[in-house]
Amino acid sequence: MAEKDHDRSKNTEEMVAELRCENKSVKQIMKTLSLRKEEIERMIKNWIIETDPFIEKMVKGRKVSSSPDVNKISQLVKQDILEILDDPLALDYIAKKRSDHHDRFMDCIRFKIKQYLEKGSK
């Protein structure tokens, strides 16, 4: 039974991330998935905690040379995490927005990094 709950929670987490990648607000996600605000915010907070060390190391000393607009970043986040981490525009965005814990696209990128880190540790 515990495994089933874990799978359901993982699936819910993926759905939340997918909606964040579509630039949806927490309020919209609450309505779409019938989740409580606290539950969504807890997931996102965990993504931040789990990915901050990796992101800090990745962008340390990076000079931000550009700031992609919303349309460009919405296209960037649809890519695979390895493509995102290899894209100078995406890295500039990450470097600039890493401390903005309300940025929807950063939540999306953080979830993808979290999955990437989890796969690497298996």
Side-chain angles (χ1 to χ4, degrees), residues 14-118:
E14 288 171 0
M15 290 187 294
V16 168
E18 189 175 303
L19 290 168
R20 285 306 258 185
C21 291
E22 294 172 7
N23 204 19
K24 303 295 183 200
S25 68
V26 169
K27 193 173 191 174
Q28 288 172 303
I29 295 169
M30 288 168 47
K31 289 178 183 176
T32 303
L33 301 179
S34 300
L35 294 173
R36 291 184 351 266
K37 179 180 180 183
E38 295 77 20
E39 192 176 352
I40 297 166
E41 288 175 342
R42 186 176 51 247
M43 276 181 219
I44 292 171
K45 184 178 181 183
N46 285 334
W47 300 346
I48 292 167
I49 291 166
E50 291 178 38
T51 61
D52 261 356
F54 178 84
I55 289 173
E56 287 301 319
K57 212 181 296 181
M58 185 179 66
V59 299
K60 187 176 184 178
R62 184 176 184 84
K63 302 283 185 240
V64 178
S65 59
S66 64
S67 184
D69 65 13
V70 174
N71 294 328
K72 180 67 176 161
I73 201 66
S74 70
Q75 293 304 308
L76 286 172
V77 297
K78 291 178 184 173
Q79 298 179 61
D80 176 78
I81 189 58
L82 294 176
E83 293 173 306
I84 292 171
L85 297 177
D86 199 39
D87 187 307
L89 272 180
L91 290 174
D92 281 353
Y93 186 82
I94 292 167
K96 187 174 182 181
K97 298 287 190 169
R98 71 183 181 273
S99 351
D100 182 348
H101 293 164
H102 299 285
D103 187 277
R104 298 168 189 175
F105 291 127
M106 272 306 296
D107 291 345
C108 172
I109 292 167
R110 285 179 183 282
F111 179 76
K112 289 182 176 204
I113 290 172
K114 175 186 170 290
Q115 286 185 314
Y116 169 75
L117 293 173
E118 287 174 352

